């Protein structure tokens, strides 16, 4: 991975992380200060809490990706340590999907005349879970690569003994 790509990705990750922290702080301030302009048409307080938790899951994924990029740059990504970060990304995506399903459930009573919106929102939740499954498949590929790397190291050691 080139230095430019690593720097660009880190810049994007940093901007997104700072943005989510700013939005989280603003939402928590609104909830704590009592300046919530909720008029009763939507349950805004639960939606804000779910949004804050969703941003936490995004932040976990961002930190894990940051660590994986650092491992790629050092050339140590094909190790057992990387699994911890990949598992963190998978967990964060699953948490985001569950939070999206909670938003869908909160929004559903207001969509009785047009249940298609709820169905579409449910489909988005399933798509988010699909992303978690894609990352799980990538984790399996990483496991194969780590196993091959260990095998290659053993073979190299045996070859060195013969020579």
């Amino acid at each position: 991975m080139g230095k430019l790509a690593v720097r660009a990705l880190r810049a994007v990750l940093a901007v997104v992380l700072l943005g989510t922290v700013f939005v989280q702080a603003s939402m928590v301030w609104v909830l704590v200060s009592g300046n919530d302009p909720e008029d009763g048409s939507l349950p805004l307080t639960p939606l804000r809490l779910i949004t804050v938790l969703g941003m936490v899951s995004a932040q976990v994924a961002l930190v894990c990706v940051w660590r994986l990029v650092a491992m790629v740059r050092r050339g140590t990504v094909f190790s057992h340590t990387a699994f911890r970060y990949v598992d963190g990304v998978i967990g964060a995506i699953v948490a985001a999907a569950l939070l999206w399903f909670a938003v869908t459930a909160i929004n559903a009573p207001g969509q009785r005349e047009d249940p298609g919106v709820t169905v579409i929102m449910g489909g988005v939740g399933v798509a988010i879970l699909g992303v978690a499954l894609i990352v799980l498949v990538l984790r399996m590929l990483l496991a194969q690569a780590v196993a091959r790397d260990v095998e290659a190291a053993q073979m190299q050691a045996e070859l060195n003994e013969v020579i």
Side-chain angles (χ1 to χ4, degrees):
M1 189 173 212
K3 288 184 180 182
L4 181 62
V6 169
R7 287 182 182 153
L9 181 56
R10 283 188 171 176
V12 169
L13 293 174
V15 168
V16 172
L17 186 62
L18 289 173
T20 58
V21 168
F22 174 75
V23 171
Q24 272 180 320
S26 300
M27 294 183 107
V28 168
W29 175 254
V30 166
L31 290 171
V32 171
S33 69
N35 294 332
D36 194 352
E38 187 172 343
D39 63 356
S41 61
L42 275 176
L44 289 179
T45 299
L47 290 174
R48 286 193 178 112
L49 289 173
I50 290 170
T51 302
V52 168
L53 292 174
M55 288 186 189
V56 168
S57 70
Q59 290 164 348
V60 167
L62 290 169
V63 169
C64 290
V65 170
W66 184 283
R67 298 293 302 170
L68 286 167
V69 168
M71 292 179 78
V72 167
R73 189 160 180 248
R74 288 191 311 261
T76 60
V77 76
F78 295 115
S79 65
H80 293 286
T81 308
F83 291 113
R84 177 177 39 192
Y85 300 117
V86 174
D87 290 341
V89 171
I90 293 170
I93 295 170
V94 170
L98 295 175
L99 290 168
W100 183 257
F101 286 129
V103 168
T104 302
I106 290 171
N107 190 47
Q111 301 296 326
R112 292 178 198 250
E113 291 82 29
D114 188 13
V117 172
T118 303
V119 172
I120 291 170
M121 289 178 73
V124 169
V126 171
I128 295 169
L129 285 175
V131 172
L133 288 173
I134 290 169
V135 176
L136 181 63
V137 169
L138 294 174
R139 184 192 188 282
M140 291 178 203
L141 292 172
L142 177 64
Q144 288 178 356
V146 168
R148 297 271 192 277
D149 195 44
V150 168
E151 184 181 341
Q154 289 172 346
M155 293 173 92
Q156 183 67 41
E158 289 174 9
L159 185 63
N160 288 341
E161 285 179 14
V162 170
I163 295 175

